[in-house]
Amino acid sequence: DTEVTQTPKHLVMGMTNKKSLKCEQHMGHRAMYWYKQKAKKPPELMFVYSYEKLSINESVPSRFSPECPNSSLLNLHLHALQPEDSALYLCASSPGQGARGYTFGSGTRLTVV
Amino acid sequence: AQSVTQLDSHVSVSEGTPVLLRCNYSSSYSPSLFWYVQHPNKGLQLLLKYTSAATLVKGINGFEAEFKKSETSFHLTKPSAHMSDAAEYFCVVSDRAGGTSYGKLTFGQGTILTVHP
């Protein structure tokens, strides 16, 4: 299995909702990442987990809460989002932090209404 | 610090003609360099990567790129464009271990490739 699987593919949520994005990989990778991509822009790093511990937080607002319950799973919990948080959220993994190969998922298209 | 500059925001070619997408980078440490392609409403697919082995890197779908340290460039080429190549392409740099940006990918702003019949 050489894929990163993200669910759901599309999500519409209100500003008072709580939802979660899920990312899963079974390649034995020990680093996992969350990126946010706005329309017509490159992806921007949000979080890096290395060996299930938060390694990098790019000053992301607390309404985004990452979680890495095990080496194969990465979640992004969402609460009280704003319409400007609407974007494509991409998950990626690599054998280790800074390793030479990064595999991206297809993303979750999030719309906040 | 690391940075990437993609010199063209849009490139338009005819089917069957060569493709050149230009990328310059800046990195404090010996970098790893990547090209990713993104089709509309899709995730990112790795085309090729340079990680200090051969400077001419061959990737999928007939793409290749040459790492030129003296010019700090990593341009992407393909001899003959196909309609299915129409997409957005990102040049990406990652510092090696020891760099302050270790583990972080820095993306260029992207180049949209249009292929005309």
Side-chain angles (χ1 to χ4, degrees):
Chain A
D1 188 350
T2 58
E3 288 187 346
V4 173
T5 303
Q6 290 187 244
T7 55
K9 293 193 181 305
H10 300 274
L11 177 63
V12 179
M13 62 183 290
M15 289 188 284
T16 59
N17 290 160
K18 287 185 180 180
K19 296 286 184 182
S20 297
L21 309 185
K22 180 179 174 181
C23 174
E24 192 167 5
Q25 58 88 14
H26 296 287
M27 295 178 281
H29 287 178
R30 302 315 300 267
M32 296 185 77
Y33 310 78
W34 280 115
Y35 283 83
K36 175 182 178 180
Q37 187 178 23
K38 300 284 283 183
K40 302 186 187 303
K41 295 290 187 182
E44 296 178 346
L45 181 65
M46 300 175 72
F47 302 104
V48 179
Y49 271 82
S50 179
Y51 288 85
E52 296 140 60
K53 294 191 187 307
L54 185 63
S55 173
I56 297 175
N57 178 341
E58 290 288 90
S59 302
V60 178
S62 60
R63 58 185 183 270
F64 295 91
S65 176
E67 178 197 20
C68 189
N70 60 56
S71 60
S72 300
L73 277 175
L74 183 66
N75 298 320
L76 186 63
H77 302 298
L78 314 172
H79 175 54
L81 294 194
Q82 303 297 310
E84 58 264 30
D85 296 321
S86 299
L88 180 67
Y89 288 84
L90 293 163
C91 175
S93 71
S94 63
Q97 184 172 341
R100 299 174 178 181
Y102 298 79
T103 303
F104 280 84
S106 297
T108 294
R109 176 73 61 188
L110 173 68
T111 303
V112 181
V113 298
Chain B
Q2 57 189 22
S3 66
V4 178
T5 302
Q6 290 183 240
L7 298 168
D8 306 290
S9 58
H10 289 82
V11 170
S12 181
V13 301
S14 297
E15 191 175 20
T17 64
V19 175
L20 170 63
L21 306 183
R22 298 182 295 165
C23 172
N24 287 112
Y25 71 91
S26 171
S27 176
S28 302
Y29 290 81
S30 297
S32 294
L33 291 159
F34 310 84
W35 276 100
Y36 283 88
V37 61
Q38 186 174 35
H39 289 90
N41 298 311
K42 298 290 186 185
L44 295 161
Q45 181 184 18
L46 179 66
L47 281 178
L48 49 79
K49 61 184 177 183
Y50 166 78
T51 55
S52 83
T55 56
L56 182 61
V57 182
K58 293 188 184 301
I60 62 171
N61 301 334
F63 285 95
E64 62 181 40
E66 186 171 8
F67 174 72
K68 292 187 177 181
K69 186 175 180 179
S70 61
E71 299 176 10
T72 60
S73 69
F74 190 58
H75 301 334
L76 181 70
T77 61
K78 182 173 181 178
S80 176
H82 191 272
M83 295 296 290
S84 61
D85 294 328
E88 187 162 20
Y89 293 77
F90 291 100
C91 182
V92 182
V93 65
S94 175
D95 272 349
R96 301 281 185 74
T100 56
S101 303
Y102 183 51
K104 296 168 127 177
L105 298 181
T106 298
F107 287 76
Q109 290 299 304
T111 298
I112 295 174
L113 175 66
T114 302
V115 182
H116 299 287

